[in-house]
């Protein structure tokens, strides 16, 4: 997601929340091979336990995810290998299933009093900082650390080379 889009959301939140004058720190988290590493069993469990999808609907999703294979052609030979992880990219259902898989991160972020925006694999968390910035900065650091552990525990990896930190100064006399 473009940084300018995130800044537009931040400015909107700033106006709605009446955030005091200060700096907003935005952390854009980039995941590596995110759609390719979703554990099918964990996803199906999350659909059932957190979203109440059961019976025939859950069986349909399980069927959609099952019997998938991948093959790589080397010279003239190619062998299909079963795939037990991942959701199809480029499909509406793939994005919905991935968003469902990472749904718990919203609660984790909110537990730290942070704000966030997410769409599929684009995740930004942010907070305002005023002088002294200690408590919100500490909460942001703890939140980011817990998110990284959640990603690891759920088979996802953050890409530190593409994850970014931005700051945006907000002035009380800013006009829309």
């Amino acid at each position: 997601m473009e940084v300018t889009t995130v800044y537009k959301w931040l400015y909107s939140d700033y106006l709605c929340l009446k955030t005091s004058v200060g700096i907003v720190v935005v952390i854009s988290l980039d995941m590596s091979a995110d759609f390719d590493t979703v554990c099918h069993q964990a996803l199906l469990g999350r659909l059932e336990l957190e979203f109440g999808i059961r019976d025939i609907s859950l069986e349909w999703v399980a069927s959609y995810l099952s019997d998938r294979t991948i093959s790589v052609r080397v010279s003239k030979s190619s062998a299909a290998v079963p795939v037990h992880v991942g959701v199809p990219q480029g499909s509406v259902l793939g994005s919905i299933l991935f968003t469902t898989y990472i749904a718990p991160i919203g609660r984790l972020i909110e537990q730290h009093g942070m704000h966030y925006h997410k769409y599929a694999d684009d995740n930004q968390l942010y907070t305002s900082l005023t002088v002294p910035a200690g408590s919100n900065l500490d909460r942001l650091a703890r939140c980011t650390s817990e998110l990284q552990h959640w990603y690891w525990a759920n088979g996802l990896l953050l890409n530190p080379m593409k994850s970014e930190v931005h700051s945006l100064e907000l002035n009380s006399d800013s006009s829309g």
Side-chain angles (χ1 to χ4, degrees):
M1 182 170 297
E2 289 185 32
V3 172
T4 54
T5 302
V6 174
Y7 284 165
K8 287 177 185 174
W9 279 341
L10 291 174
Y11 187 73
S12 173
D13 285 355
Y14 165 70
L15 294 175
C16 292
L17 299 173
K18 301 199 183 325
T19 303
S20 61
V21 176
I23 304 277
V24 172
V25 176
V26 181
I27 299 179
S28 296
L29 302 172
D30 186 86
M31 291 179 264
S32 298
D34 41 14
F35 280 71
D36 299 331
T37 57
V38 171
C39 172
H40 292 172
Q41 290 305 314
L43 172 61
L44 293 169
R46 197 157 289 146
L47 284 167
E48 183 174 15
L49 296 175
E50 294 190 35
F51 294 92
I53 296 174
R54 292 181 173 75
D55 305 322
I56 225 139
S57 297
L58 190 63
E59 290 172 22
W60 179 83
V61 174
S63 173
Y64 177 74
L65 295 172
S66 67
D67 298 326
R68 293 190 172 271
T69 60
I70 188 169
S71 60
V72 176
R73 176 171 265 159
V74 179
S75 294
K76 294 183 179 183
S77 64
S78 176
V81 177
V83 177
H84 303 288
V85 295
V87 294
Q89 283 182 277
S91 69
V92 173
L93 188 54
S95 293
I96 291 170
L97 291 173
F98 182 77
T99 301
T100 301
Y101 188 69
I102 65 167
I105 69 170
R107 287 188 302 279
L108 190 151
I109 293 168
E110 288 171 348
Q111 286 173 356
H112 289 278
M114 301 290 113
H115 303 280
Y116 68 96
H117 289 286
K118 72 178 179 166
Y119 176 76
D121 60 343
D122 289 321
N123 297 282
Q124 295 82 30
L125 61 130
Y126 60 96
T127 190
S128 62
L129 302 177
T130 54
V131 178
S135 69
N136 276 0
L137 202 53
D138 289 344
R139 285 188 304 158
L140 185 62
R142 281 192 308 273
C143 181
T144 304
S145 177
E146 284 188 34
L147 273 172
Q148 185 174 30
H149 286 99
W150 187 92
Y151 286 132
W152 287 337
N154 286 274
L156 302 170
L157 294 175
L158 288 175
N159 183 344
M161 301 304 289
K162 289 187 176 180
S163 295
E164 301 175 330
V165 177
H166 301 274
S167 62
L168 174 66
E169 186 173 353
L170 299 174
N171 297 315
S172 60
D173 62 353
S174 296
S175 56

